[in-house]
Structures are given as structure tokens and as C-alpha cells.
Amino acid sequence: MSESAAEKIQTIETPEGTFTLRLVRDDLGKIYPGMIRYTVDVLHGTERVYTYAINTYESGRRSSLFDTRKAAEIVFARLAHDVVSRPHLYTRPRVFTRPLPGTGTADVVILQGSPRRFGNSAKVASWCDDEATRAGLSSRVFYLQEMDIRPCIGCYVCYDQGYCPVEDDMPPIIRALEAASVVVVCTPVYTGTVPAALKAAIDRCQWLHAREKVLGKEVHARGLLIAVAGRRGAEPFICVTHVVDAFMENLGIRPAAPVLIGDLDRARDVETIGGVEDDVRAALSALLAPRDEE
């Protein structure tokens, strides 16, 4: 995924054993133009016990007091001094990551974007949940409004080591999306686009994008957008479709044709629109059917 080169290597002998410091430069330009990552590793013998990483996007490039390489070199020098002074602190690994949960995956992952637990999008999500069960598959609905999902802060730390430093409820979503076979987004149209909680989750999925690009994780899911709007016609769905298409494309999810349900200002309840439930179930069922390897 990247082109790596060791910029500096230093060996330090201490009463606690031999330590090796490495400063490694990774060219991540295939992920983002001009992205360079510098990683400083401390090894005790052959075991990596400490890692620091910084990239050119994270450091702000032109606006930073130090350029990225200079910052990494300063850390390298300070770590070398610290290892000499306090080698006992570096005899065991110090891990600064947020491991994803080991459970909670499902064949079908449904992101329910509406704040209304029993609104039209929630009804659509329940149809999808039921259709997955009919097909003998596991499913999981995430009611995003009820979760603590904070906005992406654009720190780019996820591109250093593949994890997000923001402490909230995103890890189960990332884990579920990474393992899903089908991802369904159920959303209303809010002021021409998706609701805030869904947009926050979409933005935070840069974490998953980083896991794919940096750690080589792959998402093999197919995707389906089901959106509801108060007005008639295609125009209310233009922005929602673009946003969700971009989300899926960013993660390598292959989207099917969306199901777009309008005129709810008049109909009020999606269940009263003839044939809509059948359309939703048929669209999802087509993605759940076994198919030959593509």
C-alpha cells in the first residue's frame, strides 16, 4: 500500500538490553496526493515496544511550526535520550490504539439515519431486517441517532496506524461494516441531504477507509440506498444519492440501484403507499441471493 524507506536507525545498549530506534518514511501518495508518513519505532530486541507516527496531512503541512519530517526527527532524538535515561519504561509494549470489538458482525448491516425511532426510515429498516431473516442471514440495525457518534475532526491519525482517537460508539459500526456482505442505508431527506447523525457516521468511516488503505483490510459488501422524502419527483434525492454514493465508493462498496420513495408529505406513512414494501424487499432480496464470484 505504501513505499517505505528507513531514514534513520540507532542502536542503544542499556542494562535492560539492546534497543533499536527506526525512523521510517512511507509514501502514501496513492491514498492522498503528497501524503507522507513518518514512523518512529522503538524495538526491545526484536519486539516493538513503542511507536509514534505523523503524516503531512495531520501536521497541517504549510501551517505547521515544524515540517513533518522535522517533527519526526525531534521525536526520534527525544526517544533516544529517554531510552538511555529510562530504559525500564521501554521493556514492555505500550499500545495506543482502539481495538475493534471481536463480536457484533452480521451479514447485513443497516444504517438507520432518521432521528425518529418509529418513523418511515425506521419502518423501511425493519422490512430490510425482516427480509434478511427470511433469507436465513444475520442482520444488525444501527439506530445512529441513539448512539454517541462525534464528528470527524480531520486529524488524519487513522492514516498513521489505522485507528481513530475519538472516543465514542463508532468501533462497533466500523467492525460491522468491515465484515458485512450487504450494507443498507435507510434515510430521510433533511434539507436536501442526509440527517446529521448519518452524515457524522459517514465522515467517521474515513477510519475504515484508512484501515483498508493502510492495513490492507477489505470491504467486500454490496450496497443499497433506500431514501424517503416529503416531496414528489427525483429532485429531492439528488444530494442524498450523491452523498451515499460517495460513501460507498470511498469504501469499495458496490451499490445497487437505489429505492427512492417520495410524496410522503401527502401520504405521511410509507406503509400506505401501495407496492413500496414489495419494492424494498425485492431490491434487498436481489442482493442477498447467492451469486457466482465476480
Side-chain angles (χ1 to χ4, degrees):
M1 293 294 177
S2 64
E3 297 179 5
S4 301
E7 300 268 309
K8 285 187 176 182
I9 298 178
Q10 181 175 346
T11 302
I12 301 172
E13 298 293 341
T14 77
E16 302 289 345
T18 301
F19 291 88
T20 303
L21 277 70
R22 301 183 306 200
L23 173 58
V24 177
R25 177 186 185 275
D26 291 289
D27 185 350
L28 303 184
K30 292 182 179 178
I31 302 176
Y32 286 114
M35 178 179 275
I36 302 294
R37 180 183 62 200
Y38 291 93
T39 304
V40 181
D41 289 324
V42 179
L43 287 79
H44 183 223
T46 59
E47 183 179 22
R48 186 167 60 180
V49 293
Y50 185 88
T51 296
Y52 169 86
I54 187 171
N55 65 68
T56 50
Y57 277 51
E58 174 191 356
S59 65
R61 293 172 290 178
R62 297 179 183 86
S63 62
S64 180
L65 292 175
F66 299 106
D67 65 29
T68 310
R69 179 190 171 94
K70 184 64 175 178
E73 289 177 340
I74 291 172
V75 170
F76 183 93
R78 288 181 175 176
L79 281 172
H81 179 270
D82 204 42
V83 168
V84 170
S85 303
R86 305 184 297 174
H88 62 281
L89 295 181
Y90 295 90
T91 56
R92 291 183 296 178
R94 288 193 277 174
V95 181
F96 302 99
T97 61
R98 296 186 65 204
L100 298 182
T103 59
T105 61
D107 299 309
V108 180
V109 172
I110 303 164
L111 302 181
Q112 202 291 95
S114 173
R116 301 174 62 219
R117 180 66 184 247
F118 303 104
N120 289 312
S121 291
K123 290 179 181 178
V124 169
S126 71
W127 296 341
C128 293
D129 191 26
D130 181 64
E131 194 61 30
T133 301
R134 287 187 183 184
L137 300 175
S138 60
S139 62
R140 184 172 182 183
V141 182
F142 287 98
Y143 294 90
L144 302 177
Q145 181 68 24
E146 299 173 13
M147 303 176 70
D148 177 20
I149 301 175
R150 302 182 185 181
C152 175
I153 59 175
C155 65
Y156 290 94
V157 168
C158 55
Y159 292 95
D160 290 334
Q161 298 180 43
Y163 78 96
C164 178
V166 178
E167 296 281 350
D168 63 1
D169 293 339
M170 274 301 294
I173 297 175
I174 297 296
R175 178 73 180 99
L177 290 174
E178 195 170 78
S181 297
V182 174
V183 175
V184 182
V185 176
C186 299
T187 182
V189 175
Y190 272 30
T191 320
T193 186
V194 298
L198 175 56
K199 186 57 167 65
I202 286 174
D203 291 347
R204 289 288 302 290
C205 280
Q206 285 299 109
W207 179 2
L208 182 50
H209 181 262
R211 285 179 62 79
E212 293 180 280
K213 300 300 183 181
V214 176
L215 301 182
K217 303 294 183 180
E218 295 184 5
V219 175
H220 297 285
R222 297 185 294 275
L224 177 64
L225 164 65
I226 307 172
V228 299
R231 292 184 291 147
R232 297 180 181 180
E235 192 273 335
F237 299 102
I238 292 174
C239 185
V240 166
T241 302
H242 287 329
V243 167
V244 176
D245 280 351
F247 159 67
M248 292 186 181
E249 180 182 0
N250 194 44
L251 300 180
I253 298 171
R254 295 159 291 164
V259 179
L260 307 177
I261 307 164
D263 200 25
L264 281 163
D265 282 346
R266 180 190 60 80
R268 306 301 297 170
D269 189 339
V270 69
E271 292 180 309
T272 66
I273 304 177
V276 166
E277 181 176 350
D278 291 338
D279 291 344
V280 168
R281 290 181 178 274
L284 180 56
S285 180
L287 296 183
L288 301 180
R291 61 177 63 188
D292 295 332
E293 291 292 329
E294 297 180 0

